[in-house]
Amino acid sequence: MARAYSPRPLTPGVVTIWYRAPELLLGTKYYTPSVDIWSAGLVLAELLQSTPCLTGETPIEQLSLIVKLLGSPIPNDLAALSAMGCPELIRWRRESLASGRVDNIERKFQADTSPETVNFLKGLLKWDPHARWTATEALGTGKSRYAGIAEQWWKESPRAVDQELLPTFPEVRNGMNLRKIAERSGVDMEGRAGAKSGEGGDYIFDFGDDSSLKRRAKRPRAK
């Protein structure tokens, strides 16, 4: 989220519309951190298909695309949204909400991924904000049955790499021995840009007085 969460009225105009949760699209000012869980689900969906999942240009169009993906909200979902004080809910139900649509997540993603990934997406993408997994559950570290489902996804291959091997700009690893980390993980570092001292980008940042990484002057431009 753009600011620290607190249980007070907040602006609904947050998050790029393609990744905006249903309760935000319906104008509530009393949302929770679960809006970030929704966004994370759509980012994962985008990674799976190499294209944005829901690309509406207006809140109503975006809600229509959500209906096509998740199916029509059931009465319990609508009751949860109503309890959150969504001011656009009544008009949306009266004028635009399609009824009887079925959940299409499995049909849309089963060809590109595994059943565990589909279950993971279903946990993140739910109409009812209170029914979405928490961040702890999504990481597979909680004690609920949902955490157990998420854990199966995290154990799939390919496994997550060491944090130190994730790309950064510039490729400076805070003084850590990148080559040793790579050897431990079985990663071939030959030819990797910026892997050796003195190679790579135009800058090296100073991470403190005790750091061995000193700031390099900017290269002069050719005249």
Side-chain angles (χ1 to χ4, degrees):
M1 300 174 73
R3 64 187 68 177
Y5 168 74
S6 63
R8 68 178 191 277
L10 301 167
T11 173
V14 295
V15 187
T16 303
I17 191 169
W18 290 357
Y19 309 94
R20 196 173 296 171
E23 60 270 27
L24 294 175
L25 295 168
L26 292 169
T28 186
K29 295 181 179 179
Y30 297 93
Y31 50 89
T32 70
S34 64
V35 300
D36 291 331
I37 299 298
W38 175 274
S39 299
L42 289 179
V43 169
L44 175 59
E46 182 173 333
L47 292 173
L48 291 172
Q49 297 198 316
S50 301
T51 186
C53 183
L54 304 174
T55 57
E57 296 184 0
T58 66
I60 295 300
E61 184 181 0
Q62 188 72 2
L63 286 165
S64 297
L65 293 175
I66 294 173
V67 170
K68 291 179 181 179
L69 179 65
L70 301 187
S72 302
I74 62 175
N76 286 346
D77 296 329
L78 294 172
L81 293 170
S82 178
M84 297 183 70
C86 297
E88 300 298 324
L89 178 61
I90 294 177
R91 186 175 69 170
W92 177 60
R93 293 182 64 180
R94 182 178 64 247
E95 299 179 1
S96 305
L97 174 57
S99 61
R101 295 292 184 90
V102 298
D103 187 338
N104 283 307
I105 286 186
E106 186 170 349
R107 182 182 302 175
K108 184 177 180 67
F109 292 98
Q110 64 181 355
D112 300 313
T113 187
S114 65
E116 288 77 16
T117 305
V118 171
N119 290 333
F120 192 84
L121 278 174
K122 287 182 176 181
L124 305 183
L125 300 177
K126 291 182 178 293
W127 282 105
D128 182 355
H130 305 295
R132 290 175 206 143
W133 291 353
T134 65
T136 299
E137 289 170 337
L139 289 172
T141 57
K143 296 182 179 180
S144 72
R145 66 184 182 92
Y146 301 120
I149 296 173
E151 186 180 12
Q152 296 303 311
W153 181 75
W154 287 105
K155 289 181 177 180
E156 282 193 328
S157 180
R159 301 291 296 273
V161 301
D162 288 339
Q163 181 178 355
E164 295 84 359
L165 289 175
L166 294 175
T168 61
F169 180 81
E171 294 202 2
V172 175
R173 309 294 175 169
N174 299 347
M176 301 185 66
N177 191 325
L178 181 59
R179 187 167 295 278
K180 287 184 178 180
I181 297 171
E183 290 173 353
R184 186 180 70 222
S185 302
V187 176
D188 182 9
M189 295 300 298
E190 292 301 324
R192 183 182 178 92
K196 298 180 181 179
S197 175
E199 297 180 359
D202 292 343
Y203 301 91
I204 291 183
F205 297 122
D206 186 352
F207 291 95
D209 294 336
D210 297 331
S211 174
S212 61
L213 303 175
K214 300 303 181 182
R215 189 185 305 272
R216 188 194 308 169
K218 187 176 181 180
R219 293 177 181 173
R221 294 184 178 179
K223 296 184 179 180

